Amino acid sequence: MAPQLESYYKAIDGLTDTFIDRLAEAVAIPSISAEEARRPDVVKMGHWLKSQLETLGASMEARELGKRPGKEHLTLPPAIIGRYPAKKDESKRTILVYGHYDVQPAEKSDGWNTEPFKLSVDSKGRMYGRGSTDDKGPVLGWVNAIQAHQKAGIEFPVNLLMCFEGMEEYGSEGLDDFIIAECKPGKFFEDADAVCISDNYWLGTEKPCLTYGLRGCSYYSIEISGPGQDLHSGVYGGTAQEPMTDLVRVMGGLVDTNGTILIPGIKDLVAPVTDDEQALYKNIAFEMSNLYESIGSETGIFPDKERTLMGRWRYPSLSIHGVEGAFSAPGAKTVIPAKVIGKFSIRTVPNMEPDDVDKLVYAHVEKAFAGLKSKNTLKVSLQHSGKWWVASPKHWNFTAAAKAVEKVWGVKPDLTREGGSIPVTLTFEQATGKNVLLLPMGSSTDAAHSINEKLDKKNYIEGIKLLGSYLHYVAEEPMSVA
Amino acid sequence: MAPQLESYYKAIDGLTDTFIDRLAEAVAIPSISAEEARRPDVVKMGHWLKSQLETLGASMEARELGKRPGKEHLTLPPAIIGRYPAKKDESKRTILVYGHYDVQPAEKSDGWNTEPFKLSVDSKGRMYGRGSTDDKGPVLGWVNAIQAHQKAGIEFPVNLLMCFEGMEEYGSEGLDDFIIAECKPGKFFEDADAVCISDNYWLGTEKPCLTYGLRGCSYYSIEISGPGQDLHSGVYGGTAQEPMTDLVRVMGGLVDTNGTILIPGIKDLVAPVTDDEQALYKNIAFEMSNLYESIGSETGIFPDKERTLMGRWRYPSLSIHGVEGAFSAPGAKTVIPAKVIGKFSIRTVPNMEPDDVDKLVYAHVEKAFAGLKSKNTLKVSLQHSGKWWVASPKHWNFTAAAKAVEKVWGVKPDLTREGGSIPVTLTFEQATGKNVLLLPMGSSTDAAHSINEKLDKKNYIEGIKLLGSYLHYVAEEPMSVA
Ligand SMILES: [Zn+2]
Ligand SMILES: [Zn+2]
Ligand SMILES: [Zn+2]
Ligand SMILES: [Zn+2]
């Protein structure tokens, strides 16, 4: 069973320094998609990645995605797409992999202990640098897997299709349409048999996982307005109805302290938990101390692991994010804001249809506001919504990945979901009609999006072994299960 | 009765151009106390004012108030104090007048139709410019009154003590201690018999008023915290208790849409309205259309004038100003804020003792939060409080002012209160132990603190007549009533 893996692993161990150097080179390019001034670095990073793969014999293209909507002076960085081997082997499965080469903003002065755009490896093998784990390490995982196959002199087990974007940290502008177009018959991604995305993290630090579900998100605004302009509370307090008074009263009826959503009907949209499913949660490597450590307090809702994980993955939640238009600075300003916009979002799960959620939200908010008998004006609206995603973890794509994890890490992976959304996942599923697997490389302590982002050397090197092994097990899975 | 007034008025009419030029010169100095870079202009304005008065023979001093607390590199602008005539006439009453020579910030780009620091008089006699009505016009009213007496060749009827500050629009830093010290025996203001402040506005545009009451203000923060840092709602929504959820639930129980304060016990602190008092409201020149015009909508609480005016002046009100620490920008951010601070204030009236109000607020907020059974942490605190002020409108200080209004404007003034606070009023009352009168020059449409601030030429010129007449009637009031 996958007998060539040992020589593949040996090649990786021999190339360790090369792979770390490659990651250092990537981290040194500050490809921050959110900052206009860094756009040339984002583009540079895309071309650097393309040339790394071309050097290894892949057939690569940089596809322009046009201008940035609303900022027509800014060209979007290209999607770097490719195929390896350059010529398709019709006898092999085709796996489409996705990653992103842009990164979150970072400045040393934000509180980094090291230069964010210089990879710094400490004595414990922690490799610090912006993008190390999100998502340059995983993207280079595929590059390195190709190189290690060549060094080991073993045949690449599948046709690899690649899709690397440069705007993920800024809303993946332009990507959805591109993916949908390229998955059509006759186009670049048409022959993908399955999809693998490496852009998330283990649930903890010790045990790998495969991720088969994500919650969706529907984001709402409640706008309440009355006066023509902001008023002084000394002059008008007690004579004018105040939009902020109405807003807190309406928002106070959305959710309670223990996270119970108070909007009638929401609960009824949630798929019932089966016994099988319930049993899954018991064995997942997760402790309440993991939660407390990551939130930095013991202010959790549930005292036990199962309900906590289900609260994160399996049930909807409602968070109130803030208020636009009210006084938000430090200090004491005696303003009556004329128009305030409360923001909240609902994390959605199967089988909540976004349209049904919208209807229940609107009805509840409108009824609550009507109950106030206010002369102010209410507008409740959806800002955006992304649907939840759940894949079948019994598909060969997952089976192959599970075998690879067991081979490389010596344990069966946890099957997990995530509470947040990775919108491209659903796009790939819908555009290809194929199974999508989330196969993380980094661990929960990697601090993606924070200061001192890192990727452990062990996760990087074993991760390269994992990605290659996954492809070998994919090749071995019976074709009939497709 | 005050037979010299006719020649005084004639002198004013003859000096109209001089007085407008003087206002133009004052407006041209951008003495913005809130902007550090403008500090030299504030100081320049103080010295300009001092020299104007010295030229007229007043004895003036520029008193340094020290460094700005917390900004030790910034010297506070001086208090410009003085006496006219330079030598006290022991046979006359002594009136202490207050005004401020600093102004609110202004930029043409804020939406001004004219240059804010160039006085622009239109065909209807509206004199536009920052500080025209707040408070350079009224301050120059005293200067001009002195000059007109000299031109008319009539004796100044009282000893005038002057106190002009340069930090009013930025919290009157340093002034309270100065006033208290200078009202002590042997000090500059020790012999004031009454105080007159001209720094507020008529209730409408047609009828002058004398103001005898101001509401106080107690400003509170409700801080609720839980997580050690902001969390992502995808990952932690449904597993962690959210401070913002608790905050909106607590704030939702403070006040209702019609302004009724829901904090038990507050109502009981309010002095009952007497029949006499009730009757006062009926004749005040105020229409509901004035309210609707000034708030820019018809979202008032009460449909009638009496309850609206009492809501503004006579009863407490509670306004929720905003939330610090939550998401307040446009757009959609999926954050769970770790610590949020809700801000609200209560406008207070007789006989609400600030300490009693604090106790009721704390008890109510703590009880509401306890009812949530949240693991988050609550801190409720007072940011600052200023007490309400009510003077006796039967004092000779008011009687004299009422006669002056009737003489100059041909109508008896409305006796009004104001909903906002002018903290220096209470300071003067407490420091001198004497009656304080608020004698406005400008009208309700002057747009103090807004774009296109103006003072009507008529209000300025008749206002100079009014200030001088007031001093003459003060001189005629029987001494026994003091
Ligand atoms: Zn990522
Ligand atoms: Zn990211
Ligand atoms: Zn003022
Ligand atoms: Zn002002």
Side-chain angles (χ1 to χ4, degrees):
Chain A
M1 192 173 285
Q4 301 151 313
L5 286 177
E6 295 311 324
S7 54
Y8 171 63
Y9 296 165
K10 218 177 135 198
I12 290 171
D13 289 333
L15 286 165
T16 295
D17 288 348
T18 306
F19 294 162
I20 293 174
D21 289 350
R22 181 173 280 141
L23 182 58
E25 239 184 279
V27 165
I29 305 171
S31 51
I32 304 169
S33 48
E35 294 175 4
E36 294 191 11
R38 294 296 197 180
R39 185 57 46 90
D41 289 309
V42 183
V43 172
K44 181 179 166 189
M45 179 68 206
H47 288 287
W48 177 89
L49 176 62
K50 176 168 176 274
S51 97
Q52 294 282 313
L53 283 155
E54 281 169 342
T55 304
L56 294 169
S59 156
M60 303 301 297
E61 296 179 29
R63 289 287 193 88
E64 294 303 328
L65 298 177
K67 302 287 178 187
R68 181 154 148 222
K71 295 239 178 181
E72 309 300 337
H73 62 291
L74 264 190
T75 302
L76 290 167
I80 303 299
I81 63 173
R83 166 181 287 284
Y84 182 85
K87 190 174 156 18
K88 182 175 181 183
D89 181 341
E90 296 290 348
S91 72
K92 289 176 182 157
R93 280 198 165 110
T94 299
I95 299 296
L96 170 55
V97 301
Y98 161 90
H100 62 91
Y101 62 81
D102 63 318
V103 298
Q104 284 280 319
E107 304 266 1
K108 178 118 185 341
S109 59
D110 295 341
W112 284 73
N113 294 325
T114 59
E115 285 298 332
F117 295 104
K118 184 180 175 310
L119 193 75
S120 306
V121 188
D122 76 4
S123 59
K124 292 184 174 160
R126 292 177 295 206
M127 306 189 293
Y128 292 95
R130 176 56 88 216
S132 55
T133 196
D134 182 19
D135 189 33
K136 289 178 174 177
V139 165
L140 294 185
W142 300 111
V143 179
N144 298 335
I146 291 170
Q147 187 178 12
H149 276 86
Q150 293 176 357
K151 168 125 190 227
I154 56 176
E155 196 179 332
F156 208 73
V158 301
N159 298 297
L160 194 69
L161 283 175
M162 291 166 274
C163 177
F164 301 126
E165 70 155 317
M167 281 299 282
E168 199 275 341
E169 303 292 9
Y170 207 75
S172 290
E173 281 173 353
L175 194 73
D176 265 24
D177 291 347
F178 174 77
I179 291 172
I180 291 163
E182 293 301 326
C183 288
K184 294 230 158 87
K187 299 297 224 160
F188 207 91
F189 301 145
E190 69 160 336
D191 54 349
D193 295 312
V195 181
C196 178
I197 298 176
S198 191
D199 189 23
N200 68 321
Y201 309 92
W202 296 356
L203 187 57
T205 56
E206 299 303 324
K207 198 170 169 197
C209 61
L210 307 178
T211 306
Y212 69 99
L214 298 167
R215 292 197 290 189
C217 183
S218 295
Y219 200 109
Y220 299 95
S221 291
I222 302 176
E223 177 187 304
I224 300 181
S225 58
Q229 67 287 328
D230 286 359
L231 303 175
H232 187 280
S233 68
V235 183
Y236 297 103
T239 70
Q241 294 190 337
E242 304 187 13
M244 190 66 182
T245 297
D246 292 348
L247 182 65
V248 295
R249 288 175 81 79
V250 170
M251 292 205 300
L254 293 172
V255 62
D256 75 12
T257 294
N258 283 320
T260 306
I261 298 175
L262 305 176
I263 301 170
I266 291 286
K267 223 176 357 190
D268 309 329
L269 301 178
V270 178
V273 178
T274 62
D275 289 347
D276 268 14
E277 197 185 350
Q278 182 83 53
L280 269 182
Y281 286 84
K282 195 178 284 182
N283 297 317
I284 289 173
F286 183 82
E287 306 285 336
M288 289 309 290
S289 59
N290 300 145
L291 178 74
Y292 300 150
E293 198 180 323
S294 55
I295 69 178
S297 68
E298 302 209 350
T299 55
I301 293 176
F302 304 107
D304 59 291
K305 175 177 96 171
E306 286 82 356
R307 278 191 291 172
T308 296
L309 289 177
M310 292 181 93
R312 179 187 292 191
W313 300 342
R314 183 54 180 80
Y315 286 112
S317 63
L318 190 156
S319 296
I320 300 171
H321 306 296
V323 180
E324 180 184 340
F327 174 55
S328 61
K333 189 176 173 186
T334 53
V335 67
I336 298 175
K339 181 169 93 174
V340 287
I341 305 172
K343 317 270 181 89
F344 71 98
S345 66
I346 298 178
R347 296 285 163 175
T348 55
V349 297
N351 299 316
M352 299 167 74
E353 288 299 326
D355 288 352
D356 295 341
V357 176
D358 294 352
K359 278 183 208 126
L360 293 173
V361 166
Y362 298 162
H364 173 76
V365 169
E366 281 161 7
K367 189 176 166 196
F369 182 74
L372 301 179
K373 302 196 191 311
S374 173
K375 293 172 192 157
N376 291 318
T377 302
L378 169 80
K379 273 189 223 164
V380 51
S381 58
L382 177 76
Q383 279 207 42
H384 64 69
S385 73
K387 210 181 164 181
W388 44 265
W389 164 79
V390 180
S392 166
K394 300 194 172 158
H395 189 275
W396 57 256
N397 199 26
F398 278 83
T399 314
K403 287 179 185 165
V405 167
E406 205 168 349
K407 175 81 180 165
V408 172
W409 290 101
V411 287
K412 279 190 204 304
D414 279 336
L415 280 169
T416 63
R417 297 191 190 188
E418 292 213 352
S421 52
I422 306 178
V424 78
T425 311
L426 194 66
T427 306
F428 275 118
E429 181 185 277
Q430 291 174 340
T432 62
K434 299 294 161 68
N435 182 278
V436 181
L437 158 74
L438 301 187
L439 182 57
M441 174 182 275
S443 83
S444 67
T445 53
D446 282 0
H449 295 210
S450 289
I451 54 168
N452 302 320
E453 175 182 346
K454 59 91 175 163
L455 175 62
D456 290 336
K457 191 170 147 186
K458 184 163 182 185
N459 281 59
Y460 183 50
I461 300 302
E462 300 308 300
I464 299 163
K465 294 178 185 169
L466 176 67
L467 297 182
S469 305
Y470 154 69
L471 299 178
H472 280 273
Y473 287 108
V474 158
E476 287 188 351
E477 286 293 312
M479 280 295 186
S480 58
V481 200
Chain B
M1 192 173 284
Q4 299 151 313
L5 286 177
E6 295 311 324
S7 53
Y8 171 62
Y9 298 164
K10 216 177 137 198
I12 291 170
D13 290 333
L15 286 165
T16 296
D17 289 347
T18 306
F19 295 162
I20 293 174
D21 289 349
R22 180 174 281 141
L23 183 58
E25 238 185 280
V27 165
I29 304 172
S31 52
I32 304 170
S33 48
E35 294 176 4
E36 294 191 12
R38 294 296 196 180
R39 185 57 47 89
D41 289 310
V42 183
V43 173
K44 181 180 168 191
M45 178 68 206
H47 287 287
W48 177 88
L49 176 61
K50 177 169 175 275
S51 97
Q52 294 283 313
L53 284 155
E54 281 169 343
T55 303
L56 294 169
S59 157
M60 303 301 298
E61 295 180 29
R63 290 286 193 89
E64 294 304 327
L65 297 177
K67 302 287 179 185
R68 181 154 149 221
K71 294 240 179 180
E72 308 301 334
H73 63 290
L74 265 191
T75 301
L76 290 168
I80 303 298
I81 63 173
R83 167 182 286 284
Y84 181 84
K87 189 173 158 18
K88 183 176 178 181
D89 180 340
E90 296 291 346
S91 72
K92 291 175 181 159
R93 279 197 167 110
T94 299
I95 300 296
L96 170 54
V97 302
Y98 161 91
H100 61 91
Y101 62 81
D102 62 318
V103 298
Q104 285 280 320
E107 303 266 359
K108 178 120 192 333
S109 60
D110 296 340
W112 284 73
N113 294 325
T114 59
E115 286 298 333
F117 295 104
K118 184 180 177 307
L119 192 76
S120 306
V121 188
D122 76 4
S123 59
K124 291 184 175 161
R126 292 177 295 207
M127 306 188 292
Y128 292 95
R130 176 56 89 218
S132 54
T133 196
D134 181 19
D135 190 30
K136 290 178 173 177
V139 164
L140 295 184
W142 299 111
V143 179
N144 298 336
I146 292 170
Q147 187 178 11
H149 274 85
Q150 295 177 356
K151 168 129 191 221
I154 55 177
E155 194 180 335
F156 207 71
V158 301
N159 297 298
L160 195 70
L161 283 175
M162 292 167 273
C163 177
F164 301 125
E165 70 155 320
M167 283 300 280
E168 199 276 342
E169 302 292 8
Y170 207 72
S172 290
E173 280 173 353
L175 194 73
D176 266 23
D177 291 347
F178 174 76
I179 291 172
I180 291 163
E182 293 300 327
C183 288
K184 295 228 158 88
K187 299 297 226 165
F188 206 90
F189 300 145
E190 69 161 331
D191 54 349
D193 295 310
V195 180
C196 177
I197 298 176
S198 191
D199 189 23
N200 69 320
Y201 310 93
W202 296 355
L203 187 58
T205 56
E206 300 303 324
K207 198 171 170 197
C209 60
L210 307 179
T211 305
Y212 69 99
L214 298 167
R215 292 196 291 189
C217 182
S218 295
Y219 201 109
Y220 300 95
S221 291
I222 301 176
E223 178 187 303
I224 300 182
S225 58
Q229 67 287 327
D230 285 0
L231 303 175
H232 187 280
S233 68
V235 183
Y236 297 103
T239 69
Q241 294 189 336
E242 304 186 13
M244 190 66 181
T245 297
D246 292 347
L247 182 65
V248 295
R249 288 174 83 78
V250 170
M251 292 204 301
L254 293 173
V255 61
D256 75 11
T257 294
N258 284 320
T260 306
I261 298 176
L262 305 175
I263 301 169
I266 292 284
K267 226 176 353 193
D268 308 329
L269 302 179
V270 179
V273 178
T274 62
D275 289 347
D276 267 13
E277 197 186 348
Q278 182 85 53
L280 270 182
Y281 286 85
K282 195 178 283 180
N283 296 317
I284 290 174
F286 184 83
E287 306 285 334
M288 289 308 291
S289 58
N290 299 145
L291 179 74
Y292 301 149
E293 197 181 323
S294 55
I295 69 177
S297 69
E298 303 209 350
T299 55
I301 294 175
F302 304 107
D304 59 292
K305 175 177 95 173
E306 286 81 356
R307 279 191 291 172
T308 296
L309 288 178
M310 293 182 91
R312 178 187 293 190
W313 300 342
R314 183 55 180 76
Y315 285 112
S317 63
L318 190 156
S319 296
I320 300 171
H321 307 295
V323 180
E324 180 184 341
F327 173 56
S328 61
K333 189 174 171 187
T334 54
V335 67
I336 298 175
K339 181 168 95 175
V340 287
I341 305 172
K343 316 268 181 90
F344 71 98
S345 66
I346 299 179
R347 296 284 163 175
T348 55
V349 299
N351 299 318
M352 299 168 76
E353 288 298 326
D355 288 353
D356 295 340
V357 176
D358 294 352
K359 278 184 208 125
L360 293 172
V361 166
Y362 298 162
H364 173 76
V365 169
E366 280 160 8
K367 189 177 167 198
F369 182 74
L372 301 178
K373 301 194 192 310
S374 174
K375 294 170 192 158
N376 291 318
T377 302
L378 168 80
K379 273 190 225 163
V380 51
S381 57
L382 177 77
Q383 280 205 43
H384 64 71
S385 72
K387 209 180 164 183
W388 44 265
W389 164 80
V390 179
S392 165
K394 299 193 171 160
H395 188 276
W396 56 256
N397 198 27
F398 278 82
T399 313
K403 287 178 185 165
V405 167
E406 206 168 347
K407 173 83 180 163
V408 171
W409 290 102
V411 286
K412 278 190 204 301
D414 280 335
L415 280 170
T416 63
R417 298 192 191 187
E418 292 214 351
S421 53
I422 306 176
V424 78
T425 311
L426 195 64
T427 306
F428 276 116
E429 182 185 275
Q430 292 174 340
T432 62
K434 300 294 161 70
N435 182 279
V436 181
L437 158 74
L438 301 187
L439 181 58
M441 175 182 275
S443 84
S444 67
T445 53
D446 282 359
H449 295 211
S450 290
I451 54 169
N452 302 319
E453 176 183 346
K454 60 93 175 157
L455 175 62
D456 291 335
K457 191 172 148 187
K458 184 165 181 184
N459 281 58
Y460 183 51
I461 300 301
E462 301 306 299
I464 299 162
K465 294 179 186 170
L466 176 67
L467 297 182
S469 305
Y470 154 69
L471 298 177
H472 280 271
Y473 286 108
V474 158
E476 288 189 351
E477 286 294 311
M479 280 296 184
S480 59
V481 199

